[in-house]
PDB file of all heavy atoms in Angstrom:
ATOM      1  N   LYS A   9      -2.889  16.610  -5.883  1.00 61.00           N
ATOM      2  CA  LYS A   9      -3.986  17.590  -5.771  1.00 61.00           C
ATOM      3  C   LYS A   9      -3.852  18.580  -6.941  1.00 61.00           C
ATOM      4  O   LYS A   9      -2.847  19.193  -7.090  1.00 61.00           O
ATOM      5  CB  LYS A   9      -3.916  18.364  -4.451  1.00 61.00           C
ATOM      6  CG  LYS A   9      -4.700  17.659  -3.367  1.00 61.00           C
ATOM      7  CD  LYS A   9      -4.803  18.586  -2.227  1.00 61.00           C
ATOM      8  CE  LYS A   9      -5.815  17.982  -1.226  1.00 61.00           C
ATOM      9  NZ  LYS A   9      -5.967  18.886  -0.042  1.00 61.00           N
ATOM     10  N   GLN A  10      -4.897  18.739  -7.692  1.00 61.00           N
ATOM     11  CA  GLN A  10      -4.952  19.698  -8.790  1.00 61.00           C
ATOM     12  C   GLN A  10      -5.452  21.015  -8.186  1.00 61.00           C
ATOM     13  O   GLN A  10      -6.544  21.021  -7.507  1.00 61.00           O
ATOM     14  CB  GLN A  10      -5.917  19.200  -9.918  1.00 61.00           C
ATOM     15  CG  GLN A  10      -5.392  17.967 -10.628  1.00 61.00           C
ATOM     16  CD  GLN A  10      -4.677  18.280 -11.865  1.00 61.00           C
ATOM     17  OE1 GLN A  10      -4.885  19.323 -12.381  1.00 61.00           O
ATOM     18  NE2 GLN A  10      -3.814  17.324 -12.264  1.00 61.00           N
ATOM     19  N   PRO A  11      -4.757  22.097  -8.527  1.00 58.00           N
ATOM     20  CA  PRO A  11      -5.282  23.455  -7.963  1.00 58.00           C
ATOM     21  C   PRO A  11      -6.575  23.735  -8.703  1.00 58.00           C
ATOM     22  O   PRO A  11      -6.789  23.431  -9.934  1.00 58.00           O
ATOM     23  CB  PRO A  11      -4.204  24.399  -8.376  1.00 58.00           C
ATOM     24  CG  PRO A  11      -3.348  23.753  -9.398  1.00 58.00           C
ATOM     25  CD  PRO A  11      -3.465  22.285  -9.167  1.00 58.00           C
ATOM     26  N   ASP A  12      -7.595  24.277  -7.955  1.00 59.00           N
ATOM     27  CA  ASP A  12      -8.796  24.643  -8.539  1.00 59.00           C
ATOM     28  C   ASP A  12      -8.657  25.561  -9.690  1.00 59.00           C
ATOM     29  O   ASP A  12      -7.849  26.510  -9.557  1.00 59.00           O
ATOM     30  CB  ASP A  12      -9.736  25.202  -7.485  1.00 59.00           C
ATOM     31  CG  ASP A  12     -10.242  24.191  -6.527  1.00 59.00           C
ATOM     32  OD1 ASP A  12     -10.095  23.033  -6.812  1.00 59.00           O
ATOM     33  OD2 ASP A  12     -10.599  24.559  -5.436  1.00 59.00           O
ATOM     34  N   LYS A  13      -9.400  25.430 -10.666  1.00 57.00           N
ATOM     35  CA  LYS A  13      -9.350  26.336 -11.904  1.00 57.00           C
ATOM     36  C   LYS A  13      -9.848  27.681 -11.480  1.00 57.00           C
ATOM     37  O   LYS A  13      -9.343  28.727 -11.975  1.00 57.00           O
ATOM     38  CB  LYS A  13     -10.126  25.780 -13.056  1.00 57.00           C
ATOM     39  CG  LYS A  13      -9.487  24.553 -13.697  1.00 57.00           C
ATOM     40  CD  LYS A  13     -10.230  24.108 -14.862  1.00 57.00           C
ATOM     41  CE  LYS A  13      -9.470  22.803 -15.436  1.00 57.00           C
ATOM     42  NZ  LYS A  13     -10.216  22.270 -16.543  1.00 57.00           N
ATOM     43  N   GLN A  14     -10.789  27.738 -10.599  1.00 58.00           N
ATOM     44  CA  GLN A  14     -11.340  28.999 -10.220  1.00 58.00           C
ATOM     45  C   GLN A  14     -10.316  29.846  -9.480  1.00 58.00           C
ATOM     46  O   GLN A  14     -10.237  31.088  -9.555  1.00 58.00           O
ATOM     47  CB  GLN A  14     -12.622  28.905  -9.379  1.00 58.00           C
ATOM     48  CG  GLN A  14     -13.785  28.418 -10.191  1.00 58.00           C
ATOM     49  CD  GLN A  14     -15.065  28.323  -9.317  1.00 58.00           C
ATOM     50  OE1 GLN A  14     -14.882  28.208  -8.101  1.00 58.00           O
ATOM     51  NE2 GLN A  14     -16.255  28.271  -9.896  1.00 58.00           N
ATOM     52  N   GLN A  15      -9.561  29.201  -8.614  1.00 58.00           N
ATOM     53  CA  GLN A  15      -8.504  29.913  -7.878  1.00 58.00           C
ATOM     54  C   GLN A  15      -7.502  30.429  -8.795  1.00 58.00           C
ATOM     55  O   GLN A  15      -7.011  31.564  -8.574  1.00 58.00           O
ATOM     56  CB  GLN A  15      -7.867  28.987  -6.883  1.00 58.00           C
ATOM     57  CG  GLN A  15      -8.744  28.604  -5.659  1.00 58.00           C
ATOM     58  CD  GLN A  15      -8.079  27.631  -4.720  1.00 58.00           C
ATOM     59  OE1 GLN A  15      -7.072  27.051  -4.993  1.00 58.00           O
ATOM     60  NE2 GLN A  15      -8.746  27.439  -3.585  1.00 58.00           N
ATOM     61  N   ASP A  16      -7.150  29.813  -9.856  1.00 56.00           N
ATOM     62  CA  ASP A  16      -6.162  30.239 -10.779  1.00 56.00           C
ATOM     63  C   ASP A  16      -6.680  31.534 -11.467  1.00 56.00           C
ATOM     64  O   ASP A  16      -5.985  32.471 -11.695  1.00 56.00           O
ATOM     65  CB  ASP A  16      -5.831  29.233 -11.819  1.00 56.00           C
ATOM     66  CG  ASP A  16      -4.850  28.107 -11.275  1.00 56.00           C
ATOM     67  OD1 ASP A  16      -4.229  28.363 -10.162  1.00 56.00           O
ATOM     68  OD2 ASP A  16      -4.670  27.055 -11.913  1.00 56.00           O
ATOM     69  N   LYS A  17      -7.979  31.437 -11.906  1.00 56.00           N
ATOM     70  CA  LYS A  17      -8.482  32.560 -12.628  1.00 56.00           C
ATOM     71  C   LYS A  17      -8.568  33.768 -11.666  1.00 56.00           C
ATOM     72  O   LYS A  17      -8.306  34.914 -12.177  1.00 56.00           O
ATOM     73  CB  LYS A  17      -9.977  32.226 -13.029  1.00 56.00           C
ATOM     74  CG  LYS A  17     -10.031  31.259 -14.219  1.00 56.00           C
ATOM     75  CD  LYS A  17     -11.404  30.992 -14.630  1.00 56.00           C
ATOM     76  CE  LYS A  17     -11.455  30.006 -15.753  1.00 56.00           C
ATOM     77  NZ  LYS A  17     -12.910  29.652 -16.088  1.00 56.00           N
ATOM     78  N   GLN A  18      -8.888  33.601 -10.395  1.00 56.00           N
ATOM     79  CA  GLN A  18      -8.865  34.740  -9.464  1.00 56.00           C
ATOM     80  C   GLN A  18      -7.516  35.289  -9.238  1.00 56.00           C
ATOM     81  O   GLN A  18      -7.360  36.493  -9.160  1.00 56.00           O
ATOM     82  CB  GLN A  18      -9.524  34.298  -8.165  1.00 56.00           C
ATOM     83  CG  GLN A  18     -11.027  34.051  -8.170  1.00 56.00           C
ATOM     84  CD  GLN A  18     -11.637  33.489  -6.932  1.00 56.00           C
ATOM     85  OE1 GLN A  18     -10.810  33.247  -6.063  1.00 56.00           O
ATOM     86  NE2 GLN A  18     -12.860  33.448  -6.901  1.00 56.00           N
ATOM     87  N   ALA A  19      -6.485  34.442  -9.306  1.00 57.00           N
ATOM     88  CA  ALA A  19      -5.164  34.942  -9.068  1.00 57.00           C
ATOM     89  C   ALA A  19      -4.699  35.764 -10.246  1.00 57.00           C
ATOM     90  O   ALA A  19      -3.840  36.620 -10.115  1.00 57.00           O
ATOM     91  CB  ALA A  19      -4.179  33.719  -8.815  1.00 57.00           C
ATOM     92  N   ASP A  20      -5.181  35.457 -11.488  1.00 61.00           N
ATOM     93  CA  ASP A  20      -4.685  36.134 -12.677  1.00 61.00           C
ATOM     94  C   ASP A  20      -5.360  37.546 -12.785  1.00 61.00           C
ATOM     95  O   ASP A  20      -4.825  38.445 -13.396  1.00 61.00           O
ATOM     96  CB  ASP A  20      -5.145  35.377 -13.931  1.00 61.00           C
ATOM     97  CG  ASP A  20      -4.225  34.082 -14.004  1.00 61.00           C
ATOM     98  OD1 ASP A  20      -3.244  33.956 -13.272  1.00 61.00           O
ATOM     99  OD2 ASP A  20      -4.686  33.220 -14.770  1.00 61.00           O
ATOM    100  N   LYS A  21      -6.619  37.676 -12.181  1.00 60.00           N
ATOM    101  CA  LYS A  21      -7.311  38.901 -12.288  1.00 60.00           C
ATOM    102  C   LYS A  21      -6.537  40.078 -11.484  1.00 60.00           C
ATOM    103  O   LYS A  21      -6.054  39.849 -10.391  1.00 60.00           O
ATOM    104  CB  LYS A  21      -8.715  38.869 -11.793  1.00 60.00           C
ATOM    105  CG  LYS A  21      -9.668  38.058 -12.645  1.00 60.00           C
ATOM    106  CD  LYS A  21     -11.014  38.028 -12.191  1.00 60.00           C
ATOM    107  CE  LYS A  21     -11.947  37.131 -12.867  1.00 60.00           C
ATOM    108  NZ  LYS A  21     -13.285  37.065 -12.220  1.00 60.00           N
ATOM    109  N   PRO A  22      -6.563  41.321 -12.032  1.00 60.00           N
ATOM    110  CA  PRO A  22      -6.014  42.402 -11.201  1.00 60.00           C
ATOM    111  C   PRO A  22      -6.988  42.727 -10.113  1.00 60.00           C
ATOM    112  O   PRO A  22      -8.150  42.470 -10.146  1.00 60.00           O
ATOM    113  CB  PRO A  22      -5.874  43.552 -12.265  1.00 60.00           C
ATOM    114  CG  PRO A  22      -6.878  43.114 -13.333  1.00 60.00           C
ATOM    115  CD  PRO A  22      -6.928  41.686 -13.419  1.00 60.00           C
TER     116      PRO A  22
END
Side-chain angles (χ1 to χ4, degrees):
K9 273 195 170 180
Q10 296 261 337
D12 290 339
K13 289 182 182 178
Q14 287 182 342
Q15 288 177 349
D16 283 346
K17 285 181 185 176
Q18 288 176 354
D20 293 343
K21 287 183 186 175

